[in-house]
Amino acid sequence: MQKSNFILKSVFPALLILFLFDACNNSSTGETSDLSKYTIVSIPGSDLQKATFSNKDGFILEQGYVLDGMKEGQWSYYGTSGEVLLKIENYHQGLLFGHVLELNPRFELTKRALHVSGKQDGYFAEYKRSRKKKEGYYNKGVRHGRQTQYHDYSDKILSEADYQEGKQHGIYKYYDDKGNVTLDYLYENGEKVSGGISK
């Protein structure tokens, strides 16, 4: 069990570090984080501090770094027993910046997303039982580009929808489990302009 805990808390985050830190020469400044529930410890030889939040049984539930009163770098979140890693976030100057990964208690990836200056930005995907359920793109916090959903228990597309600056703009198609289009619409600036049930 101790070896398993070491892998979950140490090795796995270390292996992910190459793509978890996408940030970071960003001039925006975040707001001071509310760190009142954390135990803060200075790191010798560094301006960083380590913040830890534990439950009443002493299990670590949240842990990360602080710089100038703001979250900075990688933060990890664990289940109630402190053994299962459930989420990894990255911060720069108190704002989400870089990858966010979410996992279920079976250690399967359930969500991945990118953030820039606290807003979701770039590719995201959601998974169920290790199978992709949804994917698409955000631009500065709003949906932008093709958004795709998949059928349960298969890799076949369930629906496709195009977005532009947060509004549906372009195609919307819905597919049956055999891959046939059953609904086919065209949107402009959030308004449906044509289409209907496909025969």
Side-chain angles (χ1 to χ4, degrees):
M1 179 63 74
Q2 289 181 346
K3 184 177 180 181
S4 174
N5 291 349
F6 174 78
I7 292 172
L8 290 176
K9 290 187 176 181
S10 302
V11 177
F12 180 71
L15 291 174
L16 292 175
I17 203 163
L18 290 176
F19 71 92
L20 288 174
F21 284 95
D22 281 329
C24 221
N25 291 327
N26 178 31
S27 60
S28 65
T29 302
E31 296 180 2
T32 301
S33 304
D34 180 7
L35 303 171
S36 57
K37 71 177 184 179
Y38 297 98
T39 300
I40 308 292
V41 178
S42 295
I43 300 175
S46 171
D47 293 331
L48 288 171
Q49 298 174 301
K50 191 168 189 177
T52 303
F53 172 67
S54 303
N55 63 14
K56 59 183 178 61
D57 297 316
F59 293 114
I60 294 175
L61 303 184
E62 302 177 20
Q63 192 169 62
Y65 297 96
V66 175
L67 181 65
D68 297 328
M70 294 177 286
K71 291 182 176 181
E72 184 73 21
Q74 181 175 308
W75 277 70
S76 301
Y77 303 82
Y78 301 91
T80 54
S81 66
E83 297 178 358
V84 180
L85 179 65
L86 297 179
K87 181 161 59 170
I88 298 174
E89 296 178 335
N90 287 280
Y91 286 85
H92 180 56
Q93 296 181 342
L95 299 174
L96 282 170
F97 206 116
H99 278 90
V100 172
L101 301 179
E102 295 183 15
L103 305 105
N104 64 25
R106 295 185 299 275
F107 212 52
E108 298 168 338
L109 184 65
T110 59
K111 185 176 181 180
R112 58 180 292 200
L114 283 165
H115 289 75
V116 176
S117 300
K119 294 182 179 180
Q120 195 166 334
D121 194 282
Y123 178 77
F124 80 94
E126 296 179 10
Y127 304 84
K128 184 176 181 180
R129 299 183 182 91
S130 299
R131 191 183 298 276
K132 192 178 292 182
K133 285 292 298 171
K134 186 185 297 185
E135 66 180 337
Y137 296 87
Y138 274 76
N139 182 39
K140 298 178 182 178
V142 297
R143 291 180 186 272
H144 190 81
R146 178 67 52 89
Q147 316 289 313
T148 306
Q149 294 190 55
Y150 297 88
H151 281 278
D152 285 330
Y153 312 113
S154 82
D155 296 323
K156 292 183 178 179
I157 294 173
L158 175 65
S159 68
E160 295 178 296
D162 290 335
Y163 281 77
Q164 182 173 288
E165 298 179 356
K167 295 181 180 180
Q168 277 192 258
H169 186 86
I171 68 156
Y172 173 81
K173 292 185 178 182
Y174 192 89
Y175 301 82
D176 64 20
D177 58 4
K178 295 180 176 62
N180 301 310
V181 177
T182 58
L183 295 173
D184 191 355
Y185 295 107
L186 183 65
Y187 282 80
E188 290 184 3
N189 295 316
E191 300 290 332
K192 186 168 57 180
V193 296
S194 66
I197 297 174
S198 297
K199 296 182 180 179

